DNA sequence: TTACATTTGACCAATAAAGGACAAGTCCTT
DNA sequence: AAGGACTTGTCCTTTATTGGTCAAATGTAA
């Protein structure tokens, strides 16, 4: 309802996590921006799901916030998966198929 | 082992399915190419997983082969999901997260 | 050997996405 | 009113992906 009517895309759970981490670490966007050597507007967009987060940035952020990079990486990937299938009618079925194939490939 | 050593990417199950459908319908690539109004090389690449299949083409193909478009669409999506996560370390976990979110969103 | 089917590699134009910067605006709080 | 924090829109450059083509190579059956 209060939604913009526009297509939101990217990282969603990740961006929320990043914002939460920043705040719980008592940092302001300016400080995070300094670490990544970018504009604060860029950080804002990342936290508001308007720009993707690169893996390079993700690494740096995981160090800054002192969380395991695998945690962020997992959210990053989950968001990408979600983004891929969110508008798809046959997502559930496709999910199952892809999952099976992943498992099969794992025991190569 | 007989693998090219190079990165294969895109649609995999879909491309195999398309090849199988073409053959079981007794068609040669030239005929399929004619329908899509493209070069046969392009068809070859699609069947060999070297080019993605657009949804437009998918529609036409489902009509040509007389299969439900949802079947092809599902494979198309499964391939995209697989492609996204195949090199990812935390795929399984990300999968679970995305799946939960899909389910949650479904009962909006 | 000829012919048809298929594959492969090189190439290319058009489009989309990533990765930003900057200016201006909003939203507090003081 | 001023300042800091954040957001938003516009713009830009660079890079990646799509959607092909063409020529040449390979496979294969008659």
């Amino acid at each position: 309802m209060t939604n913009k009517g526009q297509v939101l895309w990217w990282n969603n759970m990740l961006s929320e996590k990043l914002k939460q981490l920043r705040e719980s670490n008592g940092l302001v966007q300016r400080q995070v921006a300094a670490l990544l050597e970018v504009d604060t507007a860029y950080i804002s967009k990342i936290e508001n799901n308007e720009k993707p987060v690169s893996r390079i940035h993700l690494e740096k952020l995981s160090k800054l916030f002192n969380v395991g990079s695998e945690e962020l990486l997992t959210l990053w990937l989950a968001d990408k998966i979600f983004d891929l299938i969110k508008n798809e009618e046959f997502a559930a079925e496709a999910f199952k198929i892809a999952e099976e194939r992943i498992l099969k490939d794992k025991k190569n």
Side-chain angles (χ1 to χ4, degrees), chain A:
Chain A
M1 302 308 159
T2 73
N3 225 330
K4 242 127 348 83
Q6 280 309 88
V7 194
L8 297 191
W9 20 294
W10 266 93
N11 317 66
N12 208 244
M13 296 190 290
L14 176 59
S15 60
E16 276 170 36
K17 182 74 177 182
L18 289 175
K19 176 165 199 165
Q20 175 226 299
L21 278 171
R22 177 178 60 80
E23 287 174 344
S24 72
N25 278 72
L27 299 172
V28 303
Q29 289 184 350
R30 180 173 34 78
Q31 297 172 288
V32 176
L35 173 82
L36 301 191
E37 300 178 287
V38 296
D39 198 302
T40 74
Y42 193 49
I43 302 298
S44 172
K45 284 175 185 175
I46 282 177
E47 290 188 355
N48 287 287
N49 216 22
E50 280 149 37
K51 290 286 180 182
V53 186
S54 77
R55 298 173 84 125
I56 307 255
H57 285 344
L58 219 49
E59 272 306 316
K60 294 188 181 178
L61 291 170
S62 79
K63 274 170 191 147
L64 176 64
F65 298 141
N66 208 41
V67 297
S69 66
E70 78 281 0
E71 186 183 349
L72 300 186
L73 232 28
T74 300
L75 286 181
W76 176 82
L77 185 55
D79 282 336
K80 293 233 283 188
I81 296 173
F82 181 77
D83 183 63
L84 185 61
I85 67 186
K86 61 173 185 282
N87 296 315
E88 295 295 338
E89 201 174 345
F90 310 112
E93 186 60 20
F95 235 77
K96 242 184 295 174
I97 294 175
E99 201 160 29
E100 273 169 36
R101 193 164 154 213
I102 278 287
L103 294 175
K104 206 162 48 176
D105 280 34
K106 202 162 270 174
K107 51 177 159 179
N108 55 334

